[in-house]
Amino acid sequence: MIKDINLFYFYNSRGEPSIKTEILTENGIFSAMCGTGKSRGKWEKKTFNVKNSIENFLKIKKQFLGISEKDWKYFDSLLEKQKNIGAELTTPLSISCLRAATKNQIYNLFEKKSFNFPYPLSNVLGGGAHGGSTSIQEFLIIPSKAKSFPEAVSLVINVWKSVQKEFKKKGFIAGRNDEGAWLTRENELKTLDMLSKITEDFGCDIGLDFAATQFYKHGFYYYPFLGKKFNSEQQFDFVLNLIKTYKLKYVEDPFHENAFSSFSDLRKRVGICISGDDLYCTQPDRIKLGVAKSSTSGIIIKPDQAGTISKTLEAINIAKENNMDIIVSHRSGETCDYFISDFSLAVDAKFIKCGVGGGERIVKLNRLIELWYKLERPKMVKINYL
Ligand code: PGA
Ligand code: ZN
């Protein structure tokens, strides 16, 4: 039974205000924190001023005391009714309650006999809203040949380190961004040329998160460092060309957040994972729109976009019923909570997108390494296009 709830005004990796929640039961204290985004989608659950959210919750805290943690779905339904509390508080509260219900074993939520480990989808070079010269926001690495999770992590770390070394030699690195990825000084094509040589050496594949809504203005996609602006057809051809030239295995948000038909057209042309982040914002109603048009074969799942774990699971169920690959993802402003690692196992995610550089990123990969050794019968998930 929930005996008390404590809230702490903390900070995330970007120095933004953030909240740590604690739920106290007779079994102990169950805490949580969650990340927050900068390249945010229009349909995400809103975030509020942290101080206001805390004050507003304290006024209604009593409603949540005395509930059994096993009734976490009811706990979530109460959270979803609150109009004056943002995702930065509803999400960690919901995670805390689920941690209490599962006694800190969220990976065991569905009591599975064996565990499929996701592939890391790791941001090693960045641009877009996270800084850097490219409009494309994230250059991602997939350790496709890895036979185990520890091997997968070793590969992405080696690529991340080699990127630093090789790009630095040429003066192409301008620092590190919010997600611990290197900031490239070069344009999209030169960056991909150099990156593909490195990934070939390590037997890894490349994926891209365009986060295209961020550079779509009045009908055009802008690429200042390429000296180009593309209309929708030209953007389509550009994306298709990159997929073929660099043998990409994963492409996220290549078109703006309402371009369901462009996503569908691209998906029909290629056999790789085309996924939606800003397109869906982990919202069941948006996913249904995508399903109706067969827009994507994959979906980014960010629990804070939904605001509670119940709503996140509702989104995942719709996506899975329609054979979409689940990609559980961090945010650019993160914390050292590794909830998404445990959750990725619970929901059989194909990928975990959590970066490599920085304590708040590596803690999520380390957690999965730990579970790889502790759980019985771990194996890498099957992905037919890798
Ligand atoms: P955000 O970006 O966390 O800054 O919103 C991540 C993404 O677009 O995948
Ligand atoms: Zn994204």
Side-chain angles (χ1 to χ4, degrees):
M1 190 185 77
I2 298 176
K3 294 204 277 195
D4 202 1
I5 298 175
N6 296 326
L7 307 178
F8 299 91
Y9 187 107
F10 272 15
Y11 297 91
N12 68 17
S13 57
R14 223 179 353 237
E16 296 161 338
S18 173
I19 304 170
K20 179 178 177 181
T21 56
E22 277 186 358
I23 286 187
L24 281 66
T25 73
E26 44 278 271
N27 295 316
I29 299 174
F30 300 91
S31 57
M33 288 187 77
C34 77
T36 191
K38 190 187 263 177
S39 154
R40 295 176 60 81
K42 195 162 157 189
W43 292 275
E44 294 188 25
K45 181 171 170 69
K46 297 278 168 284
T47 51
F48 281 40
N49 172 297
V50 162
K51 268 204 175 97
N52 289 351
S53 268
I54 292 177
E55 276 167 21
N56 292 337
F57 181 78
L58 292 178
K59 285 183 206 149
I60 52 143
K61 182 169 113 171
K62 272 203 184 119
Q63 283 184 42
F64 293 82
L65 305 183
I67 298 174
S68 163
E69 63 274 22
K70 293 197 184 88
D71 291 334
W72 56 275
K73 288 184 186 163
Y74 172 66
F75 183 91
D76 282 356
S77 71
L78 282 185
L79 283 175
E80 281 161 22
K81 282 191 197 128
Q82 309 308 321
K83 298 278 173 277
N84 302 322
I85 301 170
E88 72 290 340
L89 178 52
T90 59
T91 314
L93 276 174
S94 176
I95 296 171
S96 281
C97 190
L98 194 58
R99 280 203 165 119
T102 59
K103 303 212 174 59
N104 276 331
Q105 296 192 343
I106 283 177
Y107 53 84
N108 225 359
L109 178 60
F110 300 115
E111 295 173 357
K112 282 187 298 207
K113 301 251 170 339
S114 65
F115 292 91
N116 296 315
F117 279 65
Y119 281 85
L121 182 60
S122 305
N123 186 2
V124 295
L125 275 162
H130 299 157
S133 302
T134 60
S135 294
I136 296 177
Q137 184 176 283
E138 295 168 27
F139 297 76
L140 304 153
I141 301 305
I142 307 168
S144 320
K145 307 257 177 319
K147 301 270 182 299
S148 71
F149 197 81
E151 189 193 340
V153 175
S154 149
L155 282 167
V156 293
I157 286 179
N158 281 325
V159 171
W160 179 72
K161 285 183 182 164
S162 293
V163 166
Q164 182 192 28
K165 195 166 138 213
E166 297 305 319
F167 277 62
K168 213 173 177 179
K169 268 189 214 158
K170 303 213 155 119
F172 289 174
I173 283 192
R176 243 171 79 166
N177 74 7
D178 289 1
E179 291 195 355
W182 307 110
L183 285 165
T184 172
R185 279 193 213 276
E186 267 303 341
N187 67 35
E188 283 63 11
L189 299 179
K190 288 207 176 129
T191 299
L192 277 166
D193 283 340
M194 279 189 68
L195 180 59
S196 59
K197 286 199 187 97
I198 298 170
T199 51
E200 256 171 44
D201 288 348
F202 287 97
C204 291
D205 287 308
I206 302 178
L208 294 175
D209 178 5
F210 281 75
T213 304
Q214 299 289 330
F215 56 96
Y216 177 76
K217 303 256 149 32
H218 311 297
F220 290 96
Y221 295 90
Y222 285 84
Y223 294 87
F225 280 78
L226 284 174
K228 304 250 188 254
K229 67 170 187 179
F230 295 146
N231 64 24
S232 294
E233 290 77 43
Q234 291 166 324
Q235 171 73 357
F236 188 91
D237 292 342
F238 179 61
V239 174
L240 196 57
N241 199 19
L242 292 186
I243 293 175
K244 289 188 178 151
T245 310
Y246 298 101
K247 299 187 182 64
L248 306 181
K249 291 286 157 68
Y250 174 90
V251 170
E252 180 178 328
D253 283 350
F255 309 108
H256 69 79
E257 61 199 343
N258 272 320
F260 284 100
S261 304
S262 301
F263 278 82
S264 316
D265 293 343
L266 182 65
R267 184 188 173 181
K268 275 184 222 138
R269 297 282 296 272
V270 293
I272 63 165
C273 183
I274 303 298
S275 96
D277 173 10
D278 293 348
L279 187 71
Y280 299 128
C281 293
T282 319
Q283 298 293 327
D285 291 347
R286 297 285 301 174
I287 301 168
K288 286 178 195 158
L289 294 178
V291 165
K293 294 207 162 178
S294 293
S295 293
T296 69
S297 49
I299 177 170
I300 283 281
I301 295 290
K302 294 170 171 167
D304 66 301
Q305 285 184 331
T308 60
I309 303 309
S310 301
K311 195 159 178 198
T312 306
L313 286 170
E314 193 187 328
I316 290 174
N317 285 341
I318 300 169
K320 278 193 170 175
E321 277 161 18
N322 292 284
N323 299 317
M324 285 187 196
D325 289 346
I326 304 299
I327 302 113
V328 174
S329 170
H330 65 165
R331 301 308 304 247
S332 52
E334 259 302 332
T335 74
C336 288
D337 193 305
Y338 51 62
F339 166 75
I340 62 164
S341 312
D342 290 27
F343 192 60
S344 70
L345 286 185
V347 302
D348 281 313
K350 292 273 160 64
F351 295 105
I352 178 159
K353 192 177 180 229
C354 66
V356 204
E360 73 283 5
R361 315 286 153 188
I362 206 71
V363 70
K364 295 167 176 58
L365 296 176
N366 282 342
R367 168 64 171 175
L368 283 168
I369 293 179
E370 181 187 348
L371 291 174
W372 177 272
Y373 290 120
K374 281 189 177 162
L375 296 174
E376 278 176 42
R377 289 184 287 278
K379 58 178 192 301
M380 294 305 283
V381 73
K382 275 208 168 55
I383 303 183
N384 52 24
Y385 47 84
L386 289 191

